[in-house]
Amino acid sequence: MAQRSVSEKASSQTLKAVLGIRELVFSGEVSPGERLSEVNLSARLGLSRTPVRAGLARLEQEGILELIPSGGYTVRSFTEADIVDAIELRGVLEGTAARLAAERGISPSRLASMKAILAEIDKVVSGPDDAFDFPRYAEMNAEFHDLLKVLSGSDIISREIDRVMRLPFAGPSAFLNAQPDIPAFRTSLVVGQAQHRAIAHAIEMREGARAEAVAREHSRLARQNLDFVMDDHKLMAQVPGLMLVSG
Amino acid sequence: MAQRSVSEKASSQTLKAVLGIRELVFSGEVSPGERLSEVNLSARLGLSRTPVRAGLARLEQEGILELIPSGGYTVRSFTEADIVDAIELRGVLEGTAARLAAERGISPSRLASMKAILAEIDKVVSGPDDAFDFPRYAEMNAEFHDLLKVLSGSDIISREIDRVMRLPFAGPSAFLNAQPDIPAFRTSLVVGQAQHRAIAHAIEMREGARAEAVAREHSRLARQNLDFVMDDHKLMAQVPGLMLVSG
DNA sequence: TTGGTACAGAATGTATACAGTTAGTATCTC
DNA sequence: GAGATACTAACTGTATACATTCTGTACCAA
């Protein structure tokens, strides 16, 4: 993880609570709809109720927990439609970031950074098929999307992109874990990289509409992968957070 | 306010804290950059530290407070550029809601609701100039934007729109308080209503691209009003939250 | 057997007490 | 007079105790 986004409260205990509960949720140790008891979590995480409580409130804000009217929280369950919408939302926001970057212009040094990242991804993608370095690809892909966010030049926009990315199945690297097994996915990486280049070129040429359109379309690769993965339960288990899906 | 959005914690004391602190911030009783002491707030609001603390954490998530690395919170200060971006963001999100509504279709009953709201706004706008009912306009305008959000059919999108709207200067009714005094603003209401109708028509005709484009442009009326208001400090004071602006 | 009521257990919401840290001030030294 | 150091006061982060509310179960009545 390149940076820890806007505010990931430094306070040790509360941070442990947030991370711990997130882990419990996304690893599937607690099921969607299940009620999360503060005392239970306190015991499991070895913390007192106070930081656990703070963590719960925060994760509710993040959207992975739901408030029970009578009090307490449950794990939110997502439908496949929710995930489609979350991916669409990411596309819209990244598209906006790309457009703003194009319209407002970016500094030469940042343009250079972007080209450097693209070159790195090229190295990975153009390598031999049998020695494909997936972790490296995931890393550089995340860096590209991180930079795109920054290039928007807007804290307000960056913040919202961070928020959507916190829904793990909406992020640009969500389906990478499931990809090594499937040949068709390899193709999508090549296509994805072509789109990266198009976005970068559009920003450089200050073609805002094109930058937005391509960035938006780029996110739909994820939707395509989602459809693929949803047909296979074994694959679903490899995508973080996809266990929260239940019609 | 038609509904109280996603989750406005029912818990009495915590709710008081959130509302109370928001009020203190937006009324300008605490200045941007000022540190908010928990004990001080507890005393002022007549609550214990626990709900105050919960409220602070929440308002930080909402984006009107900032976390101090060494602990505690300050009132976040916004630049004019931030507000422009927030308005742009609202336009992008409402545009997406409108597009999805058009692409996916809406029920006849909801279409009827939308038309009813438009008729109500027409009544207000087409009335005599000297007896213009601003509160009524604000109410129906808010209802239109609320419905547009719902028409997206997506909880994920609705949630994000709610978030942006919580930044008071980004909402569709942000500049209404300052409008009665300025004749030029009256014109913008007529234009705005024409855009409302265009959005509704595009949704009904399932013209997604048009719905998105018009909804996005619609938000730029707010930007126009912002430019106008920012030149006049007396007017600025009438727009909620605009006191948080400082270069 | 089914429905309702009452009671008990548990869980949340709130308050407060405690510890560690930060920031500010005053004094001392150079 | 200026800078540095030490001390004090306030504040945050955490833990725990208390009260109220909710939930689930058991028992009773129809």
Side-chain angles (χ1 to χ4, degrees), chain A residues 92-93 96 99 157 212 216, chain B residues 83-99 145 148 157 161 164-165 170-172 199 211-222:
Chain A
V92 165
L93 292 175
T96 301
R99 173 170 61 86
I157 305 282
E212 176 165 11
R216 200 183 273 195
Chain B
I83 298 183
V84 169
D85 290 344
I87 292 171
E88 179 75 16
L89 180 60
R90 169 169 69 86
V92 166
L93 292 176
E94 286 191 329
T96 301
R99 174 170 60 85
H145 285 268
L148 180 58
I157 306 281
I161 293 181
V164 182
M165 299 279 201
I199 293 167
E212 176 165 12
V214 177
R216 201 184 273 195
E217 187 62 24
H218 182 55
S219 78
R220 289 181 188 129
L221 274 179

Side-chain angles (χ1 to χ4, degrees), chain A residues 50-141:
Chain A
T50 305
V52 167
R53 197 177 168 67
L56 287 170
R58 177 173 178 147
L59 294 173
E60 190 261 342
Q61 279 291 311
E62 281 190 16
I64 68 170
L65 299 184
E66 224 163 2
L67 206 76
I68 303 174
S70 63
Y73 300 90
T74 62
V75 178
R76 180 165 171 201
S77 84
F78 294 88
T79 64
E80 190 172 345
D82 284 331
I83 298 183
V84 169
D85 289 345
I87 292 171
E88 180 75 16
L89 180 61
R90 169 169 68 88
V92 165
L93 292 175
E94 287 192 328
T96 301
R99 173 170 61 86
L100 292 181
E103 288 173 355
R104 299 174 179 179
I106 64 176
S107 71
S109 74
R110 282 184 165 164
L111 183 64
S113 303
M114 191 162 59
K115 288 182 175 174
I117 293 173
L118 290 175
E120 284 300 310
I121 299 181
D122 266 341
K123 268 194 222 162
V124 182
V125 171
S126 64
D129 248 46
D130 52 351
F132 192 87
D133 190 350
F134 264 96
R136 178 71 179 158
Y137 180 87
E139 183 193 345
M140 297 314 293
N141 184 53

Side-chain angles (χ1 to χ4, degrees), chain A residues 184-237:
Chain A
F185 277 152
R186 273 299 308 276
T187 311
S188 79
L189 298 186
V190 176
V191 175
Q193 170 67 348
Q195 290 170 333
H196 288 165
R197 286 215 168 273
I199 293 167
H201 186 251
I203 291 174
E204 186 178 2
M205 296 289 108
R206 309 195 70 155
E207 299 165 353
R210 178 183 173 214
E212 176 165 11
V214 177
R216 200 183 273 195
E217 186 62 24
H218 182 54
S219 77
R220 292 184 184 126
L221 274 179
R223 191 166 78 184
Q224 199 174 303
N225 292 341
L226 173 67
D227 291 339
F228 206 102
V229 165
M230 288 298 287
D231 289 335
D232 187 334
H233 278 268
K234 275 192 292 294
L235 284 177
M236 273 183 68

Side-chain angles (χ1 to χ4, degrees), chain B:
Chain B
M1 204 172 299
Q3 64 184 99
R4 195 148 53 216
S5 81
V6 183
S7 76
E8 195 86 308
K9 222 170 261 184
S11 148
S12 187
Q13 303 301 89
T14 302
L15 181 61
K16 275 188 206 164
V18 172
L19 264 41
I21 300 170
R22 256 207 222 118
E23 172 68 19
L24 286 174
V25 169
F26 288 133
S27 71
E29 284 190 62
V30 291
S31 317
E34 187 177 335
R35 182 172 191 158
L36 292 173
S37 152
E38 292 179 7
V39 288
N40 181 8
L41 289 174
S42 299
R44 277 173 95 160
L45 301 174
L47 306 166
S48 97
R49 271 184 62 208
T50 305
V52 167
R53 199 177 167 67
L56 287 169
R58 177 170 178 149
L59 293 172
E60 189 262 341
Q61 279 291 311
E62 279 189 17
I64 69 171
L65 299 183
E66 226 163 2
L67 206 78
I68 304 174
S70 65
Y73 300 90
T74 62
V75 178
R76 180 165 168 200
S77 83
F78 295 88
T79 64
E80 190 173 345
D82 284 331
I83 298 183
V84 169
D85 290 344
I87 292 171
E88 179 75 16
L89 180 60
R90 169 169 69 86
V92 166
L93 292 176
E94 286 191 329
T96 301
R99 174 170 60 85
L100 293 181
E103 288 173 353
R104 299 174 180 180
I106 64 174
S107 71
S109 73
R110 281 183 165 165
L111 183 63
S113 303
M114 191 162 59
K115 287 182 174 174
I117 294 173
L118 290 175
E120 284 300 310
I121 300 180
D122 266 341
K123 270 195 222 162
V124 181
V125 172
S126 64
D129 248 46
D130 51 352
F132 193 86
D133 189 349
F134 263 97
R136 177 73 179 159
Y137 180 88
E139 183 193 345
M140 297 314 294
N141 184 53
E143 267 201 42
F144 178 85
H145 285 268
D146 232 58
L147 180 59
L148 180 58
K149 176 186 76 188
V150 172
L151 290 182
S152 73
S154 164
D155 282 344
I156 301 269
I157 306 281
S158 295
R159 220 182 159 82
E160 292 312 304
I161 293 181
D162 275 332
R163 271 184 62 78
V164 182
M165 299 279 201
R166 238 172 250 139
L167 269 37
F169 44 73
S173 304
F175 299 94
L176 249 40
N177 285 337
Q179 293 204 13
D181 307 332
I182 312 293
F185 277 154
R186 272 298 309 275
T187 312
S188 78
L189 299 187
V190 176
V191 175
Q193 169 68 348
Q195 290 170 333
H196 288 165
R197 287 215 168 271
I199 293 167
H201 186 251
I203 291 175
E204 186 179 0
M205 296 288 109
R206 310 195 69 154
E207 298 165 353
R210 179 184 170 213
E212 176 165 12
V214 177
R216 201 184 273 195
E217 187 62 24
H218 182 55
S219 78
R220 289 181 188 129
L221 274 179
R223 190 166 78 186
Q224 200 175 302
N225 292 341
L226 173 67
D227 291 339
F228 206 102
V229 165
M230 287 300 286
D231 290 335
D232 187 334
H233 278 269
K234 276 191 291 294
L235 283 178
M236 274 183 67
Q238 292 177 34
V239 178
L242 223 54
M243 322 192 62
L244 300 183
V245 178
S246 61

